[in-house]
Amino acid sequence: MIRGGRNNITSAPAFSKDAKKLLLCTANTVSVYSVATGLKITSLEDHTAPVTSVIVDPSSDETVSYCWTSSLDGKIRIWEFSAPKLLKIFDTHLPIHSLVMIPVHVSHSVIAYVSVEDYSSVSKDLFGQIRRYDLTQDPLHSGDTLKEMEEPKPIVLSPSGEFFGVCHNCTIHIWNVASEHLMPKETTLHHTELITVFAFHPNQRILAAGDVTGRVLIWKDNGIGEFTSVKTEDDTESCTTFNWHSAQVTVLNFSSDGALLYSGVKAGDFVVWELGTGKKQLLPKIGSPLLYFIFSSDSTLSSVICEDNQIHLLKMPSMEILRTISGIKPPTPERHGFICYVKTRDICLTRTVSIDRSSGIAAFCTANHRVQLYNLLSDHDISEVQICDHHPDDGDEVRVLVTAVALSRNGSVMTTAEARFAGSNFSEGIVSLKFWVFVPDSKTFSLSTVINQPHREAAITAIALNPARSMAVSISSAGDFKIWVCSSDKNLTPEDSNWICHGVGSYKRTPITAAVFSGDGSCLALAAKTVITIWHPLKNELLYVVGKANAPIMELSFTGGGFLIAASHGSTPHLSVWDLMTFCLSWSYRLYIEVLTWLPESDRLVKSNEQIFRGKDGAILLFDGSGPKPVAIWTVMKARGGTLSFVEDGKKSQPLLAYVNRSHEYVLFDPYSDEKLETSAIDYEVFLAAISKKKKRSRKKALMSEKPWETMFCGSTLNFPPFPDLCASFFSSRMQKEVCERADRQPERHSS
């Protein structure tokens, strides 16, 4: 099983003591990367929930490297990460959001301070707690509570290990752990604005903080081991203020010698300040929202962690980017359920992930109007393609969105759709369809053809590429579809080839909501809202009208066994399986289906649906084509907005199944093996029982609960004659003839 695409930025990373490795918290694991190559060396896997902190133990040396980790599973673990080897586990029985370890030379023991979440707290509104644990105790006691807050806060430890603190609204709470008292002494600093970040000086009692207005404040020890608070806006005696940033400060850190202070904002702007003179110098802009900035033991090496899941290794003091560790960038805010208003119709545009089955390369629509190419098999970034730009003349009121992406079966062609509009008035915007060709030397795509307003002023709701030839189809909310082909001039290079319109069609001017080509590319299935139609893509002719559903069809898929699968959304969502030999409904589920995929040259069908199973919000169902009973079922998280696809792995005889959730995290696994998966397999009866509990049934259907599968199959509820299901052998030939005759008599307009 292969896991990847996980978030690398949930907490601050840590350099190894020799600055040759970088440890990143990635979901439930800690990934160890080589600083020299930027490649993953190993991973620490034992936590059962997201890892929230990783701390390299100061006692590490060139031969043995230790680190501490904490997790929302409530456990603190110590590792020898060069091996890797888990040494010991300490269970606090509370979700840990942050951890600091006090050096032994300061505490003379093994002391941990954690920020936990405790809903059993006496204070009803104070669920966050700072607790002290002595890890030498066995068993581990419940810990001493230092402070309660509304929610858990990250803890910051001074480089000397003598102080730690948390910021809470307009205050900073600091504890001196070097005092002779059993419990550390607390000092509170007050400010007039919301404090967003703070840092301790490496060798002096100096503290720097950044606030929401962009100011940087410097507090110094008043001589008795305490700091003085800012009482008013004009209070300049208690602290020094640096003021340059126009937005809230998000990163703050002192240089290793303490002479300089680095501050940055979310927009990617960096400033370095001289503490002695207050002079500032602007540094090269990183270009991504900043989250963390850390130094290594090597004064010429640092790392900046960005909100787009990128970790840059920097050469100091020039801030030159040496190399980048790239995860899958998070989806754009519009990715989840973006709705645009198009000629009185609400159309959801979320086709922003596409996977090439032959290579395992996926295309993800990300921020800044880009598409990121990512190898799912190796969990490695390949390149980025700038799809479009936001022109300065557009102004802030103009929005630009990449609304769809599709990869060809062999990964040689990519198609994208974008929209540029003012405010929320999408109907007056500009829609562009672009075709790209893959350039092997640069491992990226080059723009081949741009078509503006391909469907007049209507939005493109989906794009499908023919698996057997250079052909694509785009569908729109205006009720038409267009078939595009690549010019066949052999004298042209792939980069210079043009895509032209081969045909235009429609079905009763009804919005086209789904499209898919058959495995050999000879047929094109289109859903005109609730009606399924089959077309000849080369001749652009309507061949058959398969059937009609009660709700709009948003997903279509062919199978190798002569079936067509349709997923309907709306108030009565369904998964419907149609027999293309008889054009009869074979079977149906009343389920909300997010995505469909099938294995070419096989009857295997996989679908992902959105339901609730013991905390999970979706399920993957595997069918073998012989009947409606799934071969296997797995429950998953973040199913809405997810993607499924089979992926061919040259190292394995069987294709793997890839599941990408809406946060761009993914897992690849063999659906036919007995390997224990992160997703949990459940029984067919449990699956149906869970759906039965979720859906409200009528009194009549409730009486049939002793046979749950009978209440779930609902083919007769569709607008299709029920008698073929009862007497299929008798009526199959008659139904096929009737449907074909009806298709020949269709009065709707279509052109070739």
Side-chain angles (χ1 to χ4, degrees):
M1 180 173 56
I2 302 172
R3 300 186 184 96
R6 292 170 290 191
N7 195 334
N8 296 326
I9 58 175
T10 54
S11 60
F15 281 103
S16 60
K17 193 174 181 179
D18 59 4
K20 294 182 179 180
K21 300 181 182 68
L22 184 67
L23 285 69
L24 300 177
C25 300
T26 53
N28 297 1
T29 67
V30 174
S31 300
V32 183
Y33 284 84
S34 167
V35 170
T37 64
L39 300 178
K40 186 165 73 171
I41 303 173
T42 186
S43 59
L44 311 179
E45 301 183 6
D46 192 62
H47 284 290
T48 58
V51 180
T52 54
S53 299
V54 57
I55 303 166
V56 174
D57 194 288
S59 62
S60 301
D61 53 34
E62 295 181 356
T63 58
V64 181
S65 299
Y66 300 106
C67 73
W68 297 86
T69 61
S70 65
S71 168
L72 295 180
D73 61 11
K75 295 179 176 62
I76 300 172
R77 288 169 167 83
I78 183 170
W79 310 75
E80 182 184 341
F81 65 85
S82 56
K85 181 181 179 182
L86 176 62
L87 302 179
K88 195 169 183 179
I89 301 175
F90 307 89
D91 195 351
T92 67
H93 302 285
L94 291 172
I96 303 174
H97 289 257
S98 185
L99 163 75
V100 294
M101 297 296 302
I102 306 303
V104 175
H105 72 272
V106 176
S107 64
H108 307 292
S109 184
V110 184
I111 303 299
Y113 290 92
V114 297
S115 177
V116 298
E117 189 173 22
D118 184 7
Y119 284 99
S120 64
S121 174
V122 177
S123 303
K124 295 182 179 179
D125 299 327
L126 302 178
F127 302 120
Q129 295 181 358
I130 304 297
R131 290 195 180 190
R132 176 186 183 274
Y133 287 93
D134 186 347
L135 301 186
T136 60
Q137 296 178 346
D138 190 14
L140 190 66
H141 294 175
S142 59
D144 301 313
T145 301
L146 275 68
K147 195 168 193 62
E148 292 184 330
M149 295 169 288
E150 289 87 352
E151 58 186 12
K153 300 291 183 181
I155 308 176
V156 178
L157 181 69
S158 66
S160 64
E162 297 179 1
F163 298 91
F164 72 90
V166 296
C167 61
H168 180 218
N169 297 330
C170 300
T171 60
I172 301 177
H173 303 283
I174 303 170
W175 288 269
N176 184 352
V177 296
S179 62
E180 297 180 356
H181 300 85
L182 178 62
M183 295 294 288
K185 184 179 180 180
E186 180 183 355
T187 301
T188 301
L189 300 181
H190 297 275
H191 184 37
T192 58
E193 300 290 345
L194 182 69
I195 298 174
T196 55
V197 64
F198 72 100
F200 290 98
H201 194 277
N203 45 49
Q204 298 182 38
R205 291 188 174 182
I206 298 176
L207 182 142
D211 67 16
V212 71
T213 67
R215 289 185 298 176
V216 176
L217 302 97
I218 309 295
W219 279 280
K220 295 184 179 180
D221 190 347
N222 60 11
I224 59 173
E226 297 180 355
F227 297 90
T228 306
S229 300
V230 179
K231 300 176 182 178
T232 66
E233 292 285 350
D234 300 324
D235 191 349
T236 57
E237 297 181 357
S238 57
C239 72
T240 303
T241 302
F242 296 155
N243 197 349
W244 182 85
H245 296 294
S246 59
Q248 73 176 36
V249 182
T250 57
V251 297
L252 200 63
N253 208 346
F254 289 94
S255 60
S256 56
D257 60 2
L260 303 174
L261 176 65
Y262 293 83
S263 63
V265 298
K266 195 171 184 179
D269 298 315
F270 253 118
V271 176
V272 58
W273 308 86
E274 293 183 7
L275 288 185
T277 64
K279 293 182 179 180
K280 66 178 182 296
Q281 179 185 352
L282 302 183
L283 298 175
K285 188 172 182 177
I286 298 298
S288 300
L290 306 177
L291 288 181
Y292 306 102
F293 180 55
I294 62 172
F295 282 95
S296 69
S297 58
D298 182 354
S299 60
T300 64
L301 178 66
S302 68
S303 178
V304 62
I305 295 84
C306 301
E307 199 174 79
D308 59 0
N309 212 16
Q310 311 293 294
I311 296 93
H312 302 293
L313 298 173
L314 306 178
K315 181 180 180 180
M316 301 302 290
S318 64
M319 300 284 286
E320 175 189 353
I321 297 178
L322 298 175
R323 59 191 53 85
T324 299
I325 300 172
S326 299
I328 299 180
K329 292 189 175 182
T332 58
E334 293 85 0
R335 161 93 166 86
H336 304 304
F338 169 70
I339 304 294
C340 57
Y341 188 70
V342 187
K343 291 188 177 182
T344 71
R345 301 185 182 97
D346 287 333
I347 303 298
C348 184
L349 304 178
T350 56
R351 318 278 183 170
T352 54
V353 180
S354 182
I355 301 175
D356 172 22
R357 295 179 177 179
S358 62
S359 64
I361 295 176
F364 296 90
C365 290
T366 62
N368 299 324
H369 322 118
R370 296 178 179 180
V371 168
Q372 182 184 17
L373 302 177
Y374 200 89
N375 192 319
L376 301 182
L377 293 171
S378 61
D379 192 16
H380 194 267
D381 173 71
I382 299 175
S383 63
E384 277 190 295
V385 183
Q386 187 72 49
I387 303 302
C388 56
D389 294 310
H390 190 283
H391 301 295
D393 297 338
D394 292 339
D396 296 335
E397 68 279 359
V398 176
R399 301 179 66 188
V400 182
L401 299 175
V402 179
T403 58
V405 62
L407 284 175
S408 63
R409 181 68 60 84
N410 58 7
S412 62
V413 176
M414 180 175 72
T415 309
T416 60
E418 66 190 63
R420 187 186 302 269
F421 59 99
S424 60
N425 191 8
F426 193 90
S427 60
E428 297 181 3
I430 299 176
V431 179
S432 298
L433 178 66
K434 294 182 178 179
F435 291 90
W436 309 73
V437 293
F438 187 71
V439 182
D441 294 339
S442 58
K443 296 183 180 181
T444 188
F445 283 89
S446 174
L447 183 61
S448 170
T449 307
V450 180
I451 300 126
N452 292 320
Q453 304 295 74
H455 297 273
R456 297 181 297 278
E457 296 180 355
I460 297 175
T461 53
I463 307 169
L465 288 165
N466 193 305
R469 53 180 58 89
S470 298
M471 176 182 288
V473 61
S474 60
I475 61 177
S476 78
S477 58
D480 66 334
F481 66 90
K482 289 190 176 182
I483 298 175
W484 310 88
V485 296
C486 185
S487 58
S488 57
D489 190 344
K490 296 182 180 180
N491 296 322
L492 294 176
T493 62
E495 292 87 347
D496 297 328
S497 60
N498 293 320
W499 286 74
I500 58 176
C501 183
H502 174 71
V504 182
S506 66
Y507 182 83
K508 297 183 179 180
R509 307 305 300 175
T510 305
I512 308 298
T513 54
V516 66
F517 286 97
S518 59
D520 59 2
S522 61
C523 293
L524 172 63
L526 297 170
K529 268 197 169 178
T530 59
V531 179
I532 304 174
T533 61
I534 305 293
W535 298 72
H536 193 298
L538 290 175
K539 298 180 180 179
N540 196 24
E541 293 181 351
L542 177 64
L543 300 178
Y544 310 108
V545 176
V546 177
K548 186 177 181 181
N550 274 342
I553 298 169
M554 304 305 294
E555 292 283 339
L556 286 171
S557 179
F558 284 95
T559 70
F563 293 92
L564 180 66
I565 298 92
S568 302
H569 294 183
S571 58
T572 56
H574 283 79
L575 171 74
S576 307
V577 179
W578 302 81
D579 189 339
L580 294 180
M581 299 300 294
T582 61
F583 295 99
C584 296
L585 182 67
S586 178
W587 52 272
S588 173
Y589 279 122
R590 186 178 287 117
L591 287 177
Y592 181 94
I593 303 301
E594 186 69 29
V595 65
L596 299 166
T597 189
W598 63 283
L599 184 61
E601 301 178 357
S602 172
D603 294 342
R604 299 285 180 175
L605 166 70
V606 181
K607 64 188 183 72
S608 173
N609 80 294
E610 183 186 353
Q611 295 290 339
I612 304 297
F613 303 95
R614 298 177 184 176
K616 303 297 181 74
D617 64 3
I620 299 174
L621 284 74
L622 174 67
F623 296 88
D624 62 4
S626 62
K629 185 174 182 178
V631 176
I633 305 171
W634 301 274
T635 56
V636 294
M637 293 295 293
K638 303 177 183 179
R640 180 176 285 273
T643 301
L644 278 175
S645 178
F646 282 100
V647 172
E648 298 175 8
D649 185 358
K651 301 178 182 179
K652 301 182 181 295
S653 58
Q654 289 281 359
L656 301 177
L657 181 62
Y659 167 66
V660 183
N661 66 21
R662 65 171 175 265
S663 296
H664 290 174
E665 301 164 332
Y666 69 86
V667 58
L668 283 85
F669 62 95
D670 183 355
Y672 312 112
S673 72
D674 296 329
E675 181 183 5
K676 184 179 179 181
L677 302 177
E678 187 177 72
T679 53
S680 56
I682 61 175
D683 294 333
Y684 179 53
E685 289 74 14
V686 175
F687 167 72
L688 293 180
I691 302 172
S692 300
K693 293 179 181 178
K694 185 179 176 71
K695 301 291 183 180
K696 290 185 178 181
R697 304 295 182 186
S698 65
R699 181 180 299 272
K700 181 178 180 181
K701 291 184 177 181
L703 296 176
M704 303 172 64
S705 59
E706 62 272 11
K707 296 182 179 180
W709 65 270
E710 292 185 1
T711 68
M712 293 311 306
F713 290 92
C714 46
S716 61
T717 64
L718 298 178
N719 292 336
F720 197 85
F723 55 84
D725 289 334
L726 303 176
C727 307
S729 59
F730 179 79
F731 289 104
S732 61
S733 60
R734 184 177 181 87
M735 283 299 303
Q736 182 175 4
K737 178 180 178 181
E738 188 173 315
V739 172
C740 293
E741 290 176 351
R742 186 165 66 251
D744 293 336
R745 296 195 300 268
Q746 288 295 334
E748 61 276 4
R749 296 167 54 194
H750 58 275
S751 57
S752 58

